Amino acid sequence: MKYFCIDTSGAKISVGAAGERAVYLSDDGSVKAGRALMPMLDKALEKAGMSVDDAEFIAVVIGPGSFTGIRIGVSAARSLAYALNIPVVPVNSCELAAYNSKCHGKVLSVSDAGNGYCFTALYENGNELAPPTCIRDSELDEYVRSCGECTLAADKKYAERLGVAETTGDGIIKLALEKYSSRAQSYGTIEPLYVRKSQAEADL
């Protein structure tokens, strides 16, 4: 199958394309997603030897993560899927981090949620044991201990704090294809996964 992937949920923008070859691109986080996404996607498609019209589906990371980034990525996926009349495969950022760890057994995903909070989710061999949730940063150490023996899949901030390697990778390309048969759905049913309120909502 030919398809492409969008991830604007974190500090960096990532795109993937599977055509004549698989291509994954990630920026340095210096350009806002609204300006960088489409040029990056065009470049990935070209390198993959395909056009946007060749795509049979789109995969998009729906969150949790940056509120603005999620909105941009989900909106782009919806618009492109509508224009191309193809389905969308939603992927959450926590399961992607666990997948990128390439570890078997239990994997705890940890990423920065901002304002003294972090996102966590627990998986075992790809199966969700605890869904994405948001906890206070001060609660993390106890939460990690409560999960027992497991691999930590952490972003840059929490990798440094927890003393592990940052979890990155191009796993979204393979994960998207693996989830196609069970998750492909109409563009109109795709919803962002925010998990926690935005700062503006929290201040109300």
Side-chain angles (χ1 to χ4, degrees), residues 110-128:
V110 183
S111 59
D112 186 20
N115 301 308
Y117 288 84
C118 59
F119 298 119
T120 66
L122 186 64
Y123 299 86
E124 185 168 18
N125 299 323
N127 298 309
E128 185 179 88

Side-chain angles (χ1 to χ4, degrees), residues 25-88:
L25 301 176
S26 183
D27 74 350
D28 60 5
S30 63
V31 182
K32 291 184 177 180
R35 290 188 302 168
L37 176 58
M38 295 314 296
M40 281 183 65
L41 182 57
D42 287 341
K43 186 176 181 179
L45 290 168
E46 181 180 0
K47 287 181 174 290
M50 62 180 287
S51 73
V52 69
D53 293 323
D54 294 328
E56 297 170 73
F57 73 89
I58 301 168
V60 61
V61 176
I62 59 172
S66 160
F67 285 93
T68 301
I70 293 168
R71 284 196 294 269
I72 290 171
V74 170
S75 295
R78 284 173 173 166
S79 298
L80 289 166
Y82 170 76
L84 298 169
N85 193 28
I86 56 177
V88 180

Side-chain angles (χ1 to χ4, degrees), residues 178-192:
E178 289 180 14
K179 299 299 181 182
Y180 172 77
S181 61
S182 61
R183 293 192 188 171
Q185 55 193 266
S186 167
Y187 73 93
T189 63
I190 299 299
E191 295 291 340

Side-chain angles (χ1 to χ4, degrees), residues 95-104 106-107 151-154 167-168:
E95 72 174 334
L96 177 57
Y99 191 89
N100 276 330
S101 74
K102 299 178 181 178
C103 293
H104 298 290
K106 291 169 65 176
V107 180
T151 299
L152 296 173
T167 302
T168 60

